Amino acid sequence: MIALVTACTSGGSPHQSPTTDSVRIVTEEPPPVGSVEHPRPVECVESVNQPGVTTVPTTSPIAKPPSPSSTSASASASASPSGSPPAPSSAKDDVTVGPLTWPGLRALTDGDQKSFGYHDSDGWHYKVAVDLRSGASVTVTIGAEQRAKAGLEYGRAFDSTPTPAVTFNACPARPTVFVGSFFVAGDGRACVPVDVRADGAASRRVVISFFSGPCPAA
């Protein structure tokens, strides 16, 4: 008995490798750190100066202290890299979303810009600390509407360059103060939407006014 074995092809040379058309390997680069898909991680770093509160400092030029003419006590405290305890969440100028507080942030709605930040060729840098409850992990993302103009300048390991998204990871057993800034390009005036997601919960949006007067609610 003779067995006849045939092979079917879709055309072309019978010697063509079967992987040429049937198998495609696609490799994709992972999203860069600091992108919306991969927020910049800013971790707890134990402070040697104040064991009661941990401070994560910045190394960028935004560490420049605010003008002595500032009249906002909470804004001045947030600008200090000394590791002072978080301001009470009931302070009228604080903005609190879940376990995260920006001390004195509402004071930037109007007034003298130079009292809260400084200007360079890129735009304005406004020093605002992040106070985070112990053990919390919070991701902050600039809304898509203003990502071309605004950014977050936190993260010593990344030289605190502006980025659209940051994940703050507090120390497990104590509050953590992250020192850094908001960046707003051009004249430094804008209503900036910010999405805050705490510990995997649903995202909450707040709109922050940087010397633009009252902004529309989120």
Side-chain angles (χ1 to χ4, degrees):
M1 180 181 291
I2 299 175
L4 180 63
V5 180
T6 62
C8 297
T9 66
S10 58
S13 171
H15 303 293
Q16 183 178 2
S17 171
T19 61
T20 301
D21 295 320
S22 60
V23 178
R24 294 180 183 274
I25 300 175
V26 179
T27 58
E28 295 183 357
E29 292 292 329
V33 176
S35 63
V36 174
E37 296 80 11
H38 187 176
R40 174 186 295 170
V42 182
E43 306 294 338
C44 157
V45 176
E46 295 292 342
S47 173
V48 296
N49 297 322
Q50 277 192 278
V53 175
T54 298
T55 300
V56 179
T58 177
T59 57
S60 79
I62 54 179
K64 178 181 177 180
S67 166
S69 63
S70 172
T71 58
S72 170
S74 57
S76 296
S78 70
S80 171
S82 63
S84 55
S89 60
S90 59
K92 67 180 181 65
D93 287 332
D94 292 356
V95 173
T96 297
V97 183
L100 179 148
T101 295
W102 284 292
L105 186 56
R106 286 196 181 95
L108 277 67
T109 300
D110 50 30
D112 180 12
Q113 288 175 278
K114 294 180 180 179
S115 295
F116 298 94
Y118 78 98
H119 178 260
D120 61 17
S121 59
D122 295 325
W124 282 82
H125 309 261
Y126 300 116
K127 194 73 172 290
V128 183
V130 167
D131 294 351
L132 200 58
R133 288 205 301 259
S134 58
S137 178
V138 177
T139 297
V140 179
T141 305
I142 300 294
E145 306 93 318
Q146 287 286 15
R147 283 178 201 155
K149 184 170 185 177
L152 302 163
E153 297 181 315
Y154 298 86
R156 182 176 185 178
F158 301 90
D159 294 327
S160 301
T161 54
T163 187
V166 172
T167 295
F168 299 98
N169 296 299
C171 296
R174 63 188 64 185
T176 308
V177 180
F178 298 91
V179 179
S181 294
F182 279 87
F183 169 75
V184 182
D187 63 1
R189 301 176 185 274
C191 290
V192 178
V194 177
D195 296 315
V196 182
R197 188 176 73 252
D199 298 312
S203 179
R204 295 172 58 186
R205 171 162 286 198
V206 294
V207 179
I208 302 169
S209 174
F210 291 97
F211 302 95
S212 290
C215 290

